[in-house]
mmCIF file with all atom_site columns, all heavy atoms in Angstrom:
data_model
loop_
_atom_site.group_PDB
_atom_site.id
_atom_site.type_symbol
_atom_site.label_atom_id
_atom_site.label_alt_id
_atom_site.label_comp_id
_atom_site.label_asym_id
_atom_site.label_entity_id
_atom_site.label_seq_id
_atom_site.pdbx_PDB_ins_code
_atom_site.Cartn_x
_atom_site.Cartn_y
_atom_site.Cartn_z
_atom_site.occupancy
_atom_site.B_iso_or_equiv
_atom_site.pdbx_formal_charge
_atom_site.auth_seq_id
_atom_site.auth_comp_id
_atom_site.auth_asym_id
_atom_site.auth_atom_id
_atom_site.pdbx_PDB_model_num
ATOM 1   N N   . SER T 1 1  ? -1.261  10.776  0.978  1.00 0.00 ? 671 SER T N   1
ATOM 2   C CA  . SER T 1 1  ? -1.134  12.161  0.501  1.00 0.00 ? 671 SER T CA  1
ATOM 3   C C   . SER T 1 1  ? -0.060  12.952  1.236  1.00 0.00 ? 671 SER T C   1
ATOM 4   O O   . SER T 1 1  ? 0.492   13.906  0.690  1.00 0.00 ? 671 SER T O   1
ATOM 5   C CB  . SER T 1 1  ? -2.478  12.877  0.622  1.00 0.00 ? 671 SER T CB  1
ATOM 6   O OG  . SER T 1 1  ? -2.934  12.879  1.961  1.00 0.00 ? 671 SER T OG  1
ATOM 7   N N   . ASN T 1 2  ? 0.246   12.586  2.488  1.00 0.00 ? 672 ASN T N   1
ATOM 8   C CA  . ASN T 1 2  ? 1.259   13.316  3.260  1.00 0.00 ? 672 ASN T CA  1
ATOM 9   C C   . ASN T 1 2  ? 2.609   12.613  3.280  1.00 0.00 ? 672 ASN T C   1
ATOM 10  O O   . ASN T 1 2  ? 3.509   13.026  4.016  1.00 0.00 ? 672 ASN T O   1
ATOM 11  C CB  . ASN T 1 2  ? 0.792   13.506  4.712  1.00 0.00 ? 672 ASN T CB  1
ATOM 12  C CG  . ASN T 1 2  ? -0.345  14.494  4.824  1.00 0.00 ? 672 ASN T CG  1
ATOM 13  O OD1 . ASN T 1 2  ? -0.408  15.467  4.062  1.00 0.00 ? 672 ASN T OD1 1
ATOM 14  N ND2 . ASN T 1 2  ? -1.252  14.262  5.756  1.00 0.00 ? 672 ASN T ND2 1
ATOM 15  N N   . LEU T 1 3  ? 2.769   11.558  2.495  1.00 0.00 ? 673 LEU T N   1
ATOM 16  C CA  . LEU T 1 3  ? 3.977   10.739  2.587  1.00 0.00 ? 673 LEU T CA  1
ATOM 17  C C   . LEU T 1 3  ? 4.943   11.037  1.455  1.00 0.00 ? 673 LEU T C   1
ATOM 18  O O   . LEU T 1 3  ? 4.541   11.421  0.352  1.00 0.00 ? 673 LEU T O   1
ATOM 19  C CB  . LEU T 1 3  ? 3.595   9.261   2.543  1.00 0.00 ? 673 LEU T CB  1
ATOM 20  C CG  . LEU T 1 3  ? 2.654   8.760   3.633  1.00 0.00 ? 673 LEU T CG  1
ATOM 21  C CD1 . LEU T 1 3  ? 2.385   7.270   3.451  1.00 0.00 ? 673 LEU T CD1 1
ATOM 22  C CD2 . LEU T 1 3  ? 3.219   9.030   5.017  1.00 0.00 ? 673 LEU T CD2 1
ATOM 23  N N   . ASP T 1 4  ? 6.233   10.834  1.743  1.00 0.00 ? 674 ASP T N   1
ATOM 24  C CA  . ASP T 1 4  ? 7.222   10.933  0.679  1.00 0.00 ? 674 ASP T CA  1
ATOM 25  C C   . ASP T 1 4  ? 7.165   9.669   -0.172 1.00 0.00 ? 674 ASP T C   1
ATOM 26  O O   . ASP T 1 4  ? 6.413   8.728   0.104  1.00 0.00 ? 674 ASP T O   1
ATOM 27  C CB  . ASP T 1 4  ? 8.625   11.186  1.239  1.00 0.00 ? 674 ASP T CB  1
ATOM 28  C CG  . ASP T 1 4  ? 9.112   10.079  2.170  1.00 0.00 ? 674 ASP T CG  1
ATOM 29  O OD1 . ASP T 1 4  ? 8.744   8.897   1.962  1.00 0.00 ? 674 ASP T OD1 1
ATOM 30  O OD2 . ASP T 1 4  ? 9.873   10.380  3.104  1.00 0.00 ? 674 ASP T OD2 1
ATOM 31  N N   . ILE T 1 5  ? 7.964   9.665   -1.238 1.00 0.00 ? 675 ILE T N   1
ATOM 32  C CA  . ILE T 1 5  ? 7.878   8.574   -2.209 1.00 0.00 ? 675 ILE T CA  1
ATOM 33  C C   . ILE T 1 5  ? 8.181   7.225   -1.567 1.00 0.00 ? 675 ILE T C   1
ATOM 34  O O   . ILE T 1 5  ? 7.490   6.226   -1.812 1.00 0.00 ? 675 ILE T O   1
ATOM 35  C CB  . ILE T 1 5  ? 8.834   8.840   -3.387 1.00 0.00 ? 675 ILE T CB  1
ATOM 36  C CG1 . ILE T 1 5  ? 8.378   10.073  -4.153 1.00 0.00 ? 675 ILE T CG1 1
ATOM 37  C CG2 . ILE T 1 5  ? 8.879   7.629   -4.325 1.00 0.00 ? 675 ILE T CG2 1
ATOM 38  C CD1 . ILE T 1 5  ? 9.368   10.542  -5.201 1.00 0.00 ? 675 ILE T CD1 1
ATOM 39  N N   . LYS T 1 6  ? 9.213   7.179   -0.710 1.00 0.00 ? 676 LYS T N   1
ATOM 40  C CA  . LYS T 1 6  ? 9.606   5.902   -0.110 1.00 0.00 ? 676 LYS T CA  1
ATOM 41  C C   . LYS T 1 6  ? 8.450   5.274   0.664  1.00 0.00 ? 676 LYS T C   1
ATOM 42  O O   . LYS T 1 6  ? 8.124   4.093   0.467  1.00 0.00 ? 676 LYS T O   1
ATOM 43  C CB  . LYS T 1 6  ? 10.799  6.101   0.832  1.00 0.00 ? 676 LYS T CB  1
ATOM 44  C CG  . LYS T 1 6  ? 11.148  4.842   1.619  1.00 0.00 ? 676 LYS T CG  1
ATOM 45  C CD  . LYS T 1 6  ? 12.212  5.075   2.678  1.00 0.00 ? 676 LYS T CD  1
ATOM 46  C CE  . LYS T 1 6  ? 12.434  3.822   3.509  1.00 0.00 ? 676 LYS T CE  1
ATOM 47  N NZ  . LYS T 1 6  ? 13.451  4.020   4.567  1.00 0.00 ? 676 LYS T NZ  1
ATOM 48  N N   . TYR T 1 7  ? 7.819   6.060   1.543  1.00 0.00 ? 677 TYR T N   1
ATOM 49  C CA  . TYR T 1 7  ? 6.775   5.483   2.389  1.00 0.00 ? 677 TYR T CA  1
ATOM 50  C C   . TYR T 1 7  ? 5.472   5.297   1.624  1.00 0.00 ? 677 TYR T C   1
ATOM 51  O O   . TYR T 1 7  ? 4.680   4.404   1.951  1.00 0.00 ? 677 TYR T O   1
ATOM 52  C CB  . TYR T 1 7  ? 6.577   6.343   3.633  1.00 0.00 ? 677 TYR T CB  1
ATOM 53  C CG  . TYR T 1 7  ? 7.760   6.256   4.567  1.00 0.00 ? 677 TYR T CG  1
ATOM 54  C CD1 . TYR T 1 7  ? 8.536   7.370   4.862  1.00 0.00 ? 677 TYR T CD1 1
ATOM 55  C CD2 . TYR T 1 7  ? 8.131   5.036   5.132  1.00 0.00 ? 677 TYR T CD2 1
ATOM 56  C CE1 . TYR T 1 7  ? 9.633   7.278   5.702  1.00 0.00 ? 677 TYR T CE1 1
ATOM 57  C CE2 . TYR T 1 7  ? 9.218   4.929   5.974  1.00 0.00 ? 677 TYR T CE2 1
ATOM 58  C CZ  . TYR T 1 7  ? 9.971   6.054   6.246  1.00 0.00 ? 677 TYR T CZ  1
ATOM 59  O OH  . TYR T 1 7  ? 11.061  5.955   7.078  1.00 0.00 ? 677 TYR T OH  1
ATOM 60  N N   . THR T 1 8  ? 5.245   6.110   0.596  1.00 0.00 ? 678 THR T N   1
ATOM 61  C CA  . THR T 1 8  ? 4.086   5.872   -0.267 1.00 0.00 ? 678 THR T CA  1
ATOM 62  C C   . THR T 1 8  ? 4.185   4.496   -0.907 1.00 0.00 ? 678 THR T C   1
ATOM 63  O O   . THR T 1 8  ? 3.236   3.700   -0.859 1.00 0.00 ? 678 THR T O   1
ATOM 64  C CB  . THR T 1 8  ? 4.007   6.948   -1.359 1.00 0.00 ? 678 THR T CB  1
ATOM 65  O OG1 . THR T 1 8  ? 3.703   8.214   -0.756 1.00 0.00 ? 678 THR T OG1 1
ATOM 66  C CG2 . THR T 1 8  ? 2.921   6.608   -2.382 1.00 0.00 ? 678 THR T CG2 1
ATOM 67  N N   . LEU T 1 9  ? 5.331   4.199   -1.494 1.00 0.00 ? 679 LEU T N   1
ATOM 68  C CA  . LEU T 1 9  ? 5.516   2.898   -2.132 1.00 0.00 ? 679 LEU T CA  1
ATOM 69  C C   . LEU T 1 9  ? 5.463   1.765   -1.108 1.00 0.00 ? 679 LEU T C   1
ATOM 70  O O   . LEU T 1 9  ? 4.867   0.709   -1.359 1.00 0.00 ? 679 LEU T O   1
ATOM 71  C CB  . LEU T 1 9  ? 6.847   2.862   -2.877 1.00 0.00 ? 679 LEU T CB  1
ATOM 72  C CG  . LEU T 1 9  ? 6.997   3.854   -4.040 1.00 0.00 ? 679 LEU T CG  1
ATOM 73  C CD1 . LEU T 1 9  ? 8.391   3.745   -4.650 1.00 0.00 ? 679 LEU T CD1 1
ATOM 74  C CD2 . LEU T 1 9  ? 5.939   3.639   -5.095 1.00 0.00 ? 679 LEU T CD2 1
ATOM 75  N N   . SER T 1 10 ? 6.063   1.978   0.058  1.00 0.00 ? 680 SER T N   1
ATOM 76  C CA  . SER T 1 10 ? 6.099   0.941   1.087  1.00 0.00 ? 680 SER T CA  1
ATOM 77  C C   . SER T 1 10 ? 4.694   0.562   1.542  1.00 0.00 ? 680 SER T C   1
ATOM 78  O O   . SER T 1 10 ? 4.354   -0.633  1.627  1.00 0.00 ? 680 SER T O   1
ATOM 79  C CB  . SER T 1 10 ? 6.932   1.431   2.278  1.00 0.00 ? 680 SER T CB  1
ATOM 80  O OG  . SER T 1 10 ? 6.887   0.499   3.339  1.00 0.00 ? 680 SER T OG  1
ATOM 81  N N   . LEU T 1 11 ? 3.853   1.568   1.814  1.00 0.00 ? 681 LEU T N   1
ATOM 82  C CA  . LEU T 1 11 ? 2.516   1.268   2.323  1.00 0.00 ? 681 LEU T CA  1
ATOM 83  C C   . LEU T 1 11 ? 1.604   0.723   1.232  1.00 0.00 ? 681 LEU T C   1
ATOM 84  O O   . LEU T 1 11 ? 0.791   -0.176  1.492  1.00 0.00 ? 681 LEU T O   1
ATOM 85  C CB  . LEU T 1 11 ? 1.914   2.515   2.968  1.00 0.00 ? 681 LEU T CB  1
ATOM 86  C CG  . LEU T 1 11 ? 2.632   2.997   4.239  1.00 0.00 ? 681 LEU T CG  1
ATOM 87  C CD1 . LEU T 1 11 ? 1.911   4.197   4.844  1.00 0.00 ? 681 LEU T CD1 1
ATOM 88  C CD2 . LEU T 1 11 ? 2.768   1.891   5.279  1.00 0.00 ? 681 LEU T CD2 1
ATOM 89  N N   . LEU T 1 12 ? 1.737   1.229   0.008  1.00 0.00 ? 682 LEU T N   1
ATOM 90  C CA  . LEU T 1 12 ? 0.936   0.657   -1.075 1.00 0.00 ? 682 LEU T CA  1
ATOM 91  C C   . LEU T 1 12 ? 1.373   -0.779  -1.378 1.00 0.00 ? 682 LEU T C   1
ATOM 92  O O   . LEU T 1 12 ? 0.536   -1.620  -1.739 1.00 0.00 ? 682 LEU T O   1
ATOM 93  C CB  . LEU T 1 12 ? 1.037   1.521   -2.330 1.00 0.00 ? 682 LEU T CB  1
ATOM 94  C CG  . LEU T 1 12 ? 0.312   2.868   -2.250 1.00 0.00 ? 682 LEU T CG  1
ATOM 95  C CD1 . LEU T 1 12 ? 0.525   3.665   -3.540 1.00 0.00 ? 682 LEU T CD1 1
ATOM 96  C CD2 . LEU T 1 12 ? -1.184  2.691   -1.980 1.00 0.00 ? 682 LEU T CD2 1
ATOM 97  N N   . ASN T 1 13 ? 2.661   -1.075  -1.196 1.00 0.00 ? 683 ASN T N   1
ATOM 98  C CA  . ASN T 1 13 ? 3.122   -2.459  -1.345 1.00 0.00 ? 683 ASN T CA  1
ATOM 99  C C   . ASN T 1 13 ? 2.469   -3.361  -0.301 1.00 0.00 ? 683 ASN T C   1
ATOM 100 O O   . ASN T 1 13 ? 2.105   -4.506  -0.593 1.00 0.00 ? 683 ASN T O   1
ATOM 101 C CB  . ASN T 1 13 ? 4.642   -2.534  -1.228 1.00 0.00 ? 683 ASN T CB  1
ATOM 102 C CG  . ASN T 1 13 ? 5.359   -2.062  -2.482 1.00 0.00 ? 683 ASN T CG  1
ATOM 103 O OD1 . ASN T 1 13 ? 4.787   -2.100  -3.570 1.00 0.00 ? 683 ASN T OD1 1
ATOM 104 N ND2 . ASN T 1 13 ? 6.590   -1.610  -2.346 1.00 0.00 ? 683 ASN T ND2 1
ATOM 105 N N   . LEU T 1 14 ? 2.328   -2.857  0.932  1.00 0.00 ? 684 LEU T N   1
ATOM 106 C CA  . LEU T 1 14 ? 1.671   -3.647  1.973  1.00 0.00 ? 684 LEU T CA  1
ATOM 107 C C   . LEU T 1 14 ? 0.208   -3.912  1.611  1.00 0.00 ? 684 LEU T C   1
ATOM 108 O O   . LEU T 1 14 ? -0.299  -5.026  1.773  1.00 0.00 ? 684 LEU T O   1
ATOM 109 C CB  . LEU T 1 14 ? 1.754   -2.918  3.313  1.00 0.00 ? 684 LEU T CB  1
ATOM 110 C CG  . LEU T 1 14 ? 3.126   -2.862  3.985  1.00 0.00 ? 684 LEU T CG  1
ATOM 111 C CD1 . LEU T 1 14 ? 3.058   -1.999  5.246  1.00 0.00 ? 684 LEU T CD1 1
ATOM 112 C CD2 . LEU T 1 14 ? 3.615   -4.257  4.338  1.00 0.00 ? 684 LEU T CD2 1
ATOM 113 N N   . ALA T 1 15 ? -0.477  -2.883  1.119  1.00 0.00 ? 685 ALA T N   1
ATOM 114 C CA  . ALA T 1 15 ? -1.879  -3.050  0.737  1.00 0.00 ? 685 ALA T CA  1
ATOM 115 C C   . ALA T 1 15 ? -2.009  -4.045  -0.415 1.00 0.00 ? 685 ALA T C   1
ATOM 116 O O   . ALA T 1 15 ? -2.854  -4.949  -0.385 1.00 0.00 ? 685 ALA T O   1
ATOM 117 C CB  . ALA T 1 15 ? -2.487  -1.707  0.350  1.00 0.00 ? 685 ALA T CB  1
ATOM 118 N N   . ALA T 1 16 ? -1.161  -3.890  -1.429 1.00 0.00 ? 686 ALA T N   1
ATOM 119 C CA  . ALA T 1 16 ? -1.212  -4.802  -2.582 1.00 0.00 ? 686 ALA T CA  1
ATOM 120 C C   . ALA T 1 16 ? -0.830  -6.217  -2.180 1.00 0.00 ? 686 ALA T C   1
ATOM 121 O O   . ALA T 1 16 ? -1.384  -7.191  -2.702 1.00 0.00 ? 686 ALA T O   1
ATOM 122 C CB  . ALA T 1 16 ? -0.285  -4.296  -3.682 1.00 0.00 ? 686 ALA T CB  1
ATOM 123 N N   . GLY T 1 17 ? 0.092   -6.351  -1.234 1.00 0.00 ? 687 GLY T N   1
ATOM 124 C CA  . GLY T 1 17 ? 0.474   -7.674  -0.752 1.00 0.00 ? 687 GLY T CA  1
ATOM 125 C C   . GLY T 1 17 ? -0.684  -8.394  -0.087 1.00 0.00 ? 687 GLY T C   1
ATOM 126 O O   . GLY T 1 17 ? -0.826  -9.616  -0.227 1.00 0.00 ? 687 GLY T O   1
ATOM 127 N N   . GLY T 1 18 ? -1.532  -7.639  0.632  1.00 0.00 ? 688 GLY T N   1
ATOM 128 C CA  . GLY T 1 18 ? -2.711  -8.252  1.247  1.00 0.00 ? 688 GLY T CA  1
ATOM 129 C C   . GLY T 1 18 ? -3.699  -8.769  0.217  1.00 0.00 ? 688 GLY T C   1
ATOM 130 O O   . GLY T 1 18 ? -4.371  -9.775  0.434  1.00 0.00 ? 688 GLY T O   1
ATOM 131 N N   . VAL T 1 19 ? -3.795  -8.076  -0.924 1.00 0.00 ? 689 VAL T N   1
ATOM 132 C CA  . VAL T 1 19 ? -4.664  -8.538  -2.003 1.00 0.00 ? 689 VAL T CA  1
ATOM 133 C C   . VAL T 1 19 ? -4.149  -9.855  -2.566 1.00 0.00 ? 689 VAL T C   1
ATOM 134 O O   . VAL T 1 19 ? -4.904  -10.807 -2.764 1.00 0.00 ? 689 VAL T O   1
ATOM 135 C CB  . VAL T 1 19 ? -4.748  -7.468  -3.119 1.00 0.00 ? 689 VAL T CB  1
ATOM 136 C CG1 . VAL T 1 19 ? -5.537  -8.009  -4.321 1.00 0.00 ? 689 VAL T CG1 1
ATOM 137 C CG2 . VAL T 1 19 ? -5.385  -6.195  -2.586 1.00 0.00 ? 689 VAL T CG2 1
ATOM 138 N N   . ARG T 1 20 ? -2.839  -9.927  -2.789 1.00 0.00 ? 690 ARG T N   1
ATOM 139 C CA  . ARG T 1 20 ? -2.258  -11.121 -3.414 1.00 0.00 ? 690 ARG T CA  1
ATOM 140 C C   . ARG T 1 20 ? -2.214  -12.316 -2.474 1.00 0.00 ? 690 ARG T C   1
ATOM 141 O O   . ARG T 1 20 ? -2.547  -13.437 -2.853 1.00 0.00 ? 690 ARG T O   1
ATOM 142 C CB  . ARG T 1 20 ? -0.839  -10.800 -3.906 1.00 0.00 ? 690 ARG T CB  1
ATOM 143 C CG  . ARG T 1 20 ? -0.779  -9.812  -5.075 1.00 0.00 ? 690 ARG T CG  1
ATOM 144 C CD  . ARG T 1 20 ? 0.623   -9.757  -5.657 1.00 0.00 ? 690 ARG T CD  1
ATOM 145 N NE  . ARG T 1 20 ? 1.605   -9.377  -4.649 1.00 0.00 ? 690 ARG T NE  1
ATOM 146 C CZ  . ARG T 1 20 ? 1.979   -8.125  -4.418 1.00 0.00 ? 690 ARG T CZ  1
ATOM 147 N NH1 . ARG T 1 20 ? 1.449   -7.126  -5.107 1.00 0.00 ? 690 ARG T NH1 1
ATOM 148 N NH2 . ARG T 1 20 ? 2.887   -7.845  -3.486 1.00 0.00 ? 690 ARG T NH2 1
ATOM 149 N N   . SER T 1 21 ? -1.795  -12.077 -1.225 1.00 0.00 ? 691 SER T N   1
ATOM 150 C CA  . SER T 1 21 ? -1.549  -13.210 -0.327 1.00 0.00 ? 691 SER T CA  1
ATOM 151 C C   . SER T 1 21 ? -2.763  -13.613 0.494  1.00 0.00 ? 691 SER T C   1
ATOM 152 O O   . SER T 1 21 ? -2.906  -14.784 0.858  1.00 0.00 ? 691 SER T O   1
ATOM 153 C CB  . SER T 1 21 ? -0.384  -12.886 0.621  1.00 0.00 ? 691 SER T CB  1
ATOM 154 O OG  . SER T 1 21 ? -0.709  -11.776 1.450  1.00 0.00 ? 691 SER T OG  1
ATOM 155 N N   . ASP T 1 22 ? -3.650  -12.660 0.807  1.00 0.00 ? 692 ASP T N   1
ATOM 156 C CA  . ASP T 1 22 ? -4.780  -12.949 1.694  1.00 0.00 ? 692 ASP T CA  1
ATOM 157 C C   . ASP T 1 22 ? -6.138  -12.697 1.048  1.00 0.00 ? 692 ASP T C   1
ATOM 158 O O   . ASP T 1 22 ? -7.158  -12.719 1.737  1.00 0.00 ? 692 ASP T O   1
ATOM 159 C CB  . ASP T 1 22 ? -4.670  -12.108 2.969  1.00 0.00 ? 692 ASP T CB  1
ATOM 160 C CG  . ASP T 1 22 ? -3.390  -12.400 3.736  1.00 0.00 ? 692 ASP T CG  1
ATOM 161 O OD1 . ASP T 1 22 ? -3.026  -13.592 3.827  1.00 0.00 ? 692 ASP T OD1 1
ATOM 162 O OD2 . ASP T 1 22 ? -2.740  -11.453 4.217  1.00 0.00 ? 692 ASP T OD2 1
ATOM 163 N N   . ALA T 1 23 ? -6.141  -12.438 -0.269 1.00 0.00 ? 693 ALA T N   1
ATOM 164 C CA  . ALA T 1 23 ? -7.394  -12.204 -1.013 1.00 0.00 ? 693 ALA T CA  1
ATOM 165 C C   . ALA T 1 23 ? -8.206  -11.050 -0.440 1.00 0.00 ? 693 ALA T C   1
ATOM 166 O O   . ALA T 1 23 ? -9.441  -11.059 -0.477 1.00 0.00 ? 693 ALA T O   1
ATOM 167 C CB  . ALA T 1 23 ? -8.237  -13.479 -1.058 1.00 0.00 ? 693 ALA T CB  1
ATOM 168 N N   . LYS T 1 24 ? -7.526  -10.042 0.106  1.00 0.00 ? 694 LYS T N   1
ATOM 169 C CA  . LYS T 1 24 ? -8.219  -8.867  0.611  1.00 0.00 ? 694 LYS T CA  1
ATOM 170 C C   . LYS T 1 24 ? -8.705  -8.010  -0.549 1.00 0.00 ? 694 LYS T C   1
ATOM 171 O O   . LYS T 1 24 ? -8.197  -8.092  -1.675 1.00 0.00 ? 694 LYS T O   1
ATOM 172 C CB  . LYS T 1 24 ? -7.299  -8.048  1.516  1.00 0.00 ? 694 LYS T CB  1
ATOM 173 C CG  . LYS T 1 24 ? -6.937  -8.745  2.830  1.00 0.00 ? 694 LYS T CG  1
ATOM 174 C CD  . LYS T 1 24 ? -6.053  -7.867  3.684  1.00 0.00 ? 694 LYS T CD  1
ATOM 175 C CE  . LYS T 1 24 ? -5.643  -8.566  4.985  1.00 0.00 ? 694 LYS T CE  1
ATOM 176 N NZ  . LYS T 1 24 ? -6.773  -8.734  5.908  1.00 0.00 ? 694 LYS T NZ  1
ATOM 177 N N   . THR T 1 25 ? -9.689  -7.181  -0.267 1.00 0.00 ? 695 THR T N   1
ATOM 178 C CA  . THR T 1 25 ? -10.195 -6.217  -1.234 1.00 0.00 ? 695 THR T CA  1
ATOM 179 C C   . THR T 1 25 ? -9.758  -4.830  -0.789 1.00 0.00 ? 695 THR T C   1
ATOM 180 O O   . THR T 1 25 ? -10.021 -4.437  0.352  1.00 0.00 ? 695 THR T O   1
ATOM 181 C CB  . THR T 1 25 ? -11.732 -6.270  -1.321 1.00 0.00 ? 695 THR T CB  1
ATOM 182 O OG1 . THR T 1 25 ? -12.129 -7.592  -1.681 1.00 0.00 ? 695 THR T OG1 1
ATOM 183 C CG2 . THR T 1 25 ? -12.252 -5.282  -2.354 1.00 0.00 ? 695 THR T CG2 1
ATOM 184 N N   . VAL T 1 26 ? -9.076  -4.099  -1.660 1.00 0.00 ? 696 VAL T N   1
ATOM 185 C CA  . VAL T 1 26 ? -8.648  -2.740  -1.364 1.00 0.00 ? 696 VAL T CA  1
ATOM 186 C C   . VAL T 1 26 ? -9.384  -1.790  -2.294 1.00 0.00 ? 696 VAL T C   1
ATOM 187 O O   . VAL T 1 26 ? -9.439  -2.009  -3.510 1.00 0.00 ? 696 VAL T O   1
ATOM 188 C CB  . VAL T 1 26 ? -7.122  -2.564  -1.534 1.00 0.00 ? 696 VAL T CB  1
ATOM 189 C CG1 . VAL T 1 26 ? -6.714  -1.113  -1.305 1.00 0.00 ? 696 VAL T CG1 1
ATOM 190 C CG2 . VAL T 1 26 ? -6.371  -3.480  -0.575 1.00 0.00 ? 696 VAL T CG2 1
ATOM 191 N N   . VAL T 1 27 ? -9.965  -0.748  -1.709 1.00 0.00 ? 697 VAL T N   1
ATOM 192 C CA  . VAL T 1 27 ? -10.614 0.305   -2.493 1.00 0.00 ? 697 VAL T CA  1
ATOM 193 C C   . VAL T 1 27 ? -9.949  1.618   -2.103 1.00 0.00 ? 697 VAL T C   1
ATOM 194 O O   . VAL T 1 27 ? -10.006 2.025   -0.939 1.00 0.00 ? 697 VAL T O   1
ATOM 195 C CB  . VAL T 1 27 ? -12.127 0.379   -2.220 1.00 0.00 ? 697 VAL T CB  1
ATOM 196 C CG1 . VAL T 1 27 ? -12.774 1.394   -3.153 1.00 0.00 ? 697 VAL T CG1 1
ATOM 197 C CG2 . VAL T 1 27 ? -12.780 -0.988  -2.364 1.00 0.00 ? 697 VAL T CG2 1
ATOM 198 N N   . ALA T 1 28 ? -9.304  2.277   -3.067 1.00 0.00 ? 698 ALA T N   1
ATOM 199 C CA  . ALA T 1 28 ? -8.490  3.442   -2.760 1.00 0.00 ? 698 ALA T CA  1
ATOM 200 C C   . ALA T 1 28 ? -8.833  4.618   -3.654 1.00 0.00 ? 698 ALA T C   1
ATOM 201 O O   . ALA T 1 28 ? -8.951  4.474   -4.871 1.00 0.00 ? 698 ALA T O   1
ATOM 202 C CB  . ALA T 1 28 ? -7.006  3.100   -2.913 1.00 0.00 ? 698 ALA T CB  1
ATOM 203 N N   . VAL T 1 29 ? -8.980  5.786   -3.036 1.00 0.00 ? 699 VAL T N   1
ATOM 204 C CA  . VAL T 1 29 ? -8.989  7.034   -3.784 1.00 0.00 ? 699 VAL T CA  1
ATOM 205 C C   . VAL T 1 29 ? -7.548  7.486   -3.909 1.00 0.00 ? 699 VAL T C   1
ATOM 206 O O   . VAL T 1 29 ? -6.844  7.643   -2.906 1.00 0.00 ? 699 VAL T O   1
ATOM 207 C CB  . VAL T 1 29 ? -9.837  8.112   -3.075 1.00 0.00 ? 699 VAL T CB  1
ATOM 208 C CG1 . VAL T 1 29 ? -9.550  9.496   -3.659 1.00 0.00 ? 699 VAL T CG1 1
ATOM 209 C CG2 . VAL T 1 29 ? -11.314 7.791   -3.192 1.00 0.00 ? 699 VAL T CG2 1
#
């Protein structure tokens, strides 16, 4: 919520990458 577009996309990419590569579960509001 406090991030600009670049870092929003960067961190959500990291979260989504964990789902794809490590079978993590992400729950996000």
